């Protein structure tokens, strides 16, 4: 091949146009010296070794490539209609091929329905078996290496906890080192959030004022929609109860039976609890009855306290009452004092009527 190229280039210095067009890189119809050098043994060896024996071969190849691209662009511009038609034909041909492929697949599935169903079933079974095998293998590995897995989980938890503590400690140290900056940052965040909230509220109020009719219509629509939805729900429930009357009656009967069963269960459990804890129940009943009796019947000591504090309080409440004279103190030998019997004091109201002063101490 090299011998024939040398013979053809002795007179003109270029390769004849009768040679194959595979060597014509720049598309000028002739194979130039740099194009011949590219496919020669010397040029191929230089490319393998990384040595460019022909210094200008790369520049010439780039020029040839650029010239070919320019020629293609010019040809496309000259034949713009043909280029568009060719592009459109390519897109249509690709779409037709895709549709034909899909239709052929659908036809084959219809013709071989049993085979297609068997194939899909086999795929599904294989996928399920693969998933089950993965889960089983993971469980077996965890069971075989349970000690190692427990150690790994512990290490992961400890590492995560240490990382969290380290992060928090570093943050605290940075805050302590830059306390003023941290306080300023928090203050700025708070102020920015507050300004954003106020701006949002002001903008909302301004928008409502600017579009007052629209805002009122929107709220009215929301209210009407909510009311219509509520009425629709009520109507739907009523219609469903009418349509499915037997089911509604059965449901109500079941609900009543369920409430009765729950009440009986509560009574039985309470009775069993009191039977199991008889002593605690008896003590509780005794304490409760004693407390109720004390609340209904005041103690004698309480009566003595009331009789002792009622006269001075009556004197303070009613200025028209006679002056209070305290009773003599009890003797040291007596256990309890004996106050004077209480008197009936009256207070005068604003309308001129008088009522008896009665004190109740709980």
């Amino acid at each position: 091949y090299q011998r024939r190229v040398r013979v053809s280039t002795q007179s003109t210095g270029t390769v004849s146009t009768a040679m194959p067009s595979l060597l014509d890189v720049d598309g000028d119809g002739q194979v130039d010296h740099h194009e011949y050098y590219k496919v020669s043994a010397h040029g191929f060896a230089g490319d393998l070794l990384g040595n460019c024996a022909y210094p200008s071969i790369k520049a010439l190849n780039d020029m040839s490539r650029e010239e070919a691209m320019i020629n293609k662009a010019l040809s496309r511009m000259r034949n713009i209609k043909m280029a568009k038609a060719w592009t459109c034909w390519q897109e249509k041909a690709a779409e037709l091929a895709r549709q034909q492929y899909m239709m052929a697949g659908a036809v084959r599935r219809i013709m071989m329905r049993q085979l297609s169903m068997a194939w899909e079933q086999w795929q599904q079974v294989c996928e399920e078996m693969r998933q089950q095998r993965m889960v089983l293998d993971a469980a077996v590995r965890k069971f075989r290496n349970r000690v190692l897995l427990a150690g790994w989980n512990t290490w992961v938890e400890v590492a995560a906890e240490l990382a969290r503590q380290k992060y928090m400690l570093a943050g605290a140290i940075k805050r302590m080192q830059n306390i003023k900056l941290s306080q300023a940052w928090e203050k700025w965040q708070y102020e920015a959030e507050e300004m954003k909230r106020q701006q949002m509220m002001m903008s909302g109020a301004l928008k409502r004022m600017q579009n007052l009719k629209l805002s009122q219509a929107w709220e009215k629509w929301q209210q009407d929609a909510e009311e219509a939805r509520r009425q629709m729900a009520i109507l739907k429930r009523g219609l469903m109860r009418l349509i499915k009357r037997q089911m509604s009656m059965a449901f109500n009967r079941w609900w009543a039976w369920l409430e009765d069963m729950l009440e009986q269960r509560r009574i039985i459990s309470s009775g069993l609890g009191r039977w199991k804890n008889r002593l605690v129940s008896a003590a509780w009943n005794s304490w409760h009855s004693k407390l109720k009796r004390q609340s209904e019947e005041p103690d004698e000591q309480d009566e003595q306290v009331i009789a002792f504090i009622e006269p001075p309080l009556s004197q303070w409440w009613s200025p028209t009452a006679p002056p209070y004279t305290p009773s003599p103190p009890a003797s040291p030998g007596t256990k309890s004092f004996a106050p004077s019997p209480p008197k009936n004091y009256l207070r005068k109201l604003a309308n001129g009527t008088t009522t008896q002063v009665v004190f109740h101490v709980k």
Side-chain angles (χ1 to χ4, degrees), residues 146-166:
R146 53 186 180 274
V147 178
L148 181 61
L149 181 63
W152 168 258
N153 293 334
T154 304
W155 178 84
V156 169
E157 293 176 359
V158 171
E161 182 65 21
L162 288 175
R164 188 182 66 84
Q165 293 179 3
K166 184 178 180 181

Side-chain angles (χ1 to χ4, degrees), residues 268-292:
I268 292 172
S269 62
S270 177
L272 288 176
R274 295 183 63 176
W275 183 74
K276 290 180 180 179
N277 305 305
R278 293 186 295 273
L279 297 179
V280 177
S281 178
W284 166 261
N285 293 334
S286 176
W287 175 81
H288 191 268
S289 60
K290 185 180 294 186
L291 182 63
K292 186 175 181 180

Side-chain angles (χ1 to χ4, degrees), residues 107-221:
V107 169
R108 282 195 297 268
R109 284 173 61 91
I110 294 174
M111 294 173 60
M112 304 177 179
R113 183 173 180 82
Q114 299 295 331
L115 182 61
S116 176
M117 293 173 61
W119 168 255
E120 292 179 355
Q121 180 70 18
W122 178 81
Q123 283 182 321
Q124 183 178 0
V125 170
C126 287
E127 183 65 22
E128 292 180 357
M129 291 179 64
R130 189 178 66 85
Q131 293 291 338
Q132 292 177 3
R133 182 178 298 175
M134 289 176 59
V135 173
L136 185 60
D137 291 344
V140 169
R141 285 196 299 270
K142 290 177 68 173
F143 178 75
R144 289 178 179 175
N145 306 314
R146 53 186 180 274
V147 178
L148 181 61
L149 181 63
W152 168 258
N153 293 334
T154 304
W155 178 84
V156 169
E157 293 176 359
V158 171
E161 182 65 21
L162 288 175
R164 188 182 66 84
Q165 293 179 3
K166 184 178 180 181
Y167 176 77
M168 295 177 63
L169 184 61
I173 292 174
K174 288 181 181 178
R175 285 173 62 90
M176 292 173 62
Q177 291 177 351
N178 306 308
I179 184 68
K180 298 294 184 182
L181 181 61
S182 176
Q183 293 177 354
W185 169 253
E186 292 179 354
K187 179 67 175 176
W188 178 84
Q189 280 183 322
Y190 174 76
E191 294 293 340
E193 188 67 25
E194 185 66 20
M195 289 178 64
K196 182 179 178 182
R197 187 182 65 84
Q198 293 179 1
Q199 185 177 2
M200 183 183 66
M201 294 176 64
M202 290 179 63
S203 63
L206 289 175
K207 288 180 181 179
R208 285 175 63 90
M209 292 174 63
Q210 291 176 359
N211 305 310
L212 184 59
K213 298 295 184 182
L214 181 61
S215 177
Q216 292 177 354
W218 169 253
E219 291 179 355
K220 187 68 168 61
W221 177 85

Side-chain angles (χ1 to χ4, degrees), residues 30 47 99 103 110 134 140 144 205 242 299 309 328 332 337:
Q30 295 180 352
D47 290 342
Q99 293 180 3
M103 290 179 63
I110 294 174
M134 289 176 59
V140 169
R144 289 178 179 175
L242 288 174
D299 195 6
I309 66 175
F337 60 88

